[in-house]
Amino acid sequence: MGEALVLLVDDVMGVVEEVVVEEEQDPQEEEEVQAEERGEKPLEQGPAEPGRGPATSLSPLEALEALQLELEPVNKQARRAYSRLKLRIHQRRKPHLEQRSTVIQGIPGFWVKAFVNHPRMSAMMTGRDKDLLRYMTDLKVEELRHPSDGCKITLSFGSNPYFQNEVIVKEYLVSISGYRASQSTPVQWHQGFEREAYRRRQHNSSLNFFNWFSDHSPAGSSRIAEIIGEDLWPNPPALLPEGARRRGRKTALAKSPGCQGPPKAV
């Protein structure tokens, strides 16, 4: 598993280098630049460069608008490079992540140990939450293509006494301001636990794992999504007890980003 994680880092870095080189050699971008130089896409003339004297009588606001127009090809190139990079990283990471998932599913109680060993997450969990998580078999965090700044958290469970769902999916919109709840799979509680689930939600409105799991809208629940997407998902072995991860310390995987929104235009 350690070797697979190291290969994942190498692959991601290789994709970044490939995309950077391609962007530097992008013929379409070269044509756009040359067309601008030939004047085929005329822009309002901006303020003169220092030392060349005034070349226009544009007002400061007009000059600012002209400069912003000049930034559009740069922003377009950045968006194109980002989309290409994200797609290639997804393709390179997919087999490694699938292998990681298979390995983890062979470790009993892996995810409950990872959740409990995260300091902030553990503080928001009760004994009942921990017991519920013992039935969790898989976790996936994916960036959505539509919308491009979306994030999907998928939690898979084996047969358990609490609910019928085998999969719970929670989707978020992600921006520089954080995660914003979008939609979620309704939890289908078993009849024997449905009343207790209702009571727990009504009598404990504080931010905790159970309220996040069973209700998509509690205030502050996005913080739990952030912990899962940015701490638990990138490197789950780092959250195992010290003895269990000692052998993997030398090949620890540097944190890769979780769900992120697209680069913002400047």
Side-chain angles (χ1 to χ4, degrees), residues 88-154:
R88 291 204 178 179
I89 287 179
H90 171 74
Q91 292 171 340
R92 292 285 183 90
R93 295 180 70 198
K94 186 176 180 180
H96 298 295
L97 292 175
E98 289 177 348
Q99 182 181 359
R100 187 181 78 175
S101 176
T102 300
V103 172
I104 287 176
Q105 289 182 55
I107 304 175
F110 177 92
W111 284 113
V112 66
K113 293 174 184 175
F115 274 68
V116 168
N117 279 285
H118 189 285
R120 286 192 294 154
M121 182 66 79
S122 179
M124 294 184 283
M125 296 174 62
T126 66
R128 179 74 81 179
D129 298 332
K130 296 172 185 176
D131 188 54
L132 181 151
L133 280 170
R134 295 183 195 281
Y135 297 94
M136 184 172 167
T137 59
D138 199 11
L139 171 69
K140 292 183 181 178
V141 178
E142 306 167 88
E143 288 190 43
L144 297 175
R145 300 186 65 179
H146 303 289
S148 58
D149 55 349
C151 173
K152 181 169 77 170
I153 298 174
T154 303

Side-chain angles (χ1 to χ4, degrees), residues 17-134:
E17 293 174 358
E18 289 173 10
V19 172
V20 169
V21 170
E22 286 186 5
E23 284 302 311
E24 291 175 348
Q25 299 175 347
D26 190 344
Q28 181 179 352
E29 188 65 28
E30 288 295 324
E31 291 177 5
E32 292 175 359
V33 173
Q34 293 172 8
E36 282 192 357
E37 291 176 349
R38 293 195 301 268
E40 293 176 8
K41 296 181 181 180
L43 298 175
E44 292 186 60
Q45 189 173 3
E49 295 182 11
R52 293 190 178 182
T56 181
S57 58
L58 292 179
S59 69
L61 182 56
E62 290 172 332
L64 179 60
E65 291 176 348
L67 287 171
Q68 190 63 40
L69 285 173
E70 292 177 3
L71 278 171
E72 287 307 311
V74 179
N75 288 335
K76 181 179 178 182
Q77 180 186 20
R79 288 191 294 269
R80 186 168 60 244
Y82 177 78
S83 297
R84 185 182 301 157
L85 175 62
K86 191 164 69 169
L87 177 60
R88 291 204 178 179
I89 287 179
H90 171 74
Q91 292 171 340
R92 292 285 183 90
R93 295 180 70 198
K94 186 176 180 180
H96 298 295
L97 292 175
E98 289 177 348
Q99 182 181 359
R100 187 181 78 175
S101 176
T102 300
V103 172
I104 287 176
Q105 289 182 55
I107 304 175
F110 177 92
W111 284 113
V112 66
K113 293 174 184 175
F115 274 68
V116 168
N117 279 285
H118 189 285
R120 286 192 294 154
M121 182 66 79
S122 179
M124 294 184 283
M125 296 174 62
T126 66
R128 179 74 81 179
D129 298 332
K130 296 172 185 176
D131 188 54
L132 181 151
L133 280 170
R134 295 183 195 281

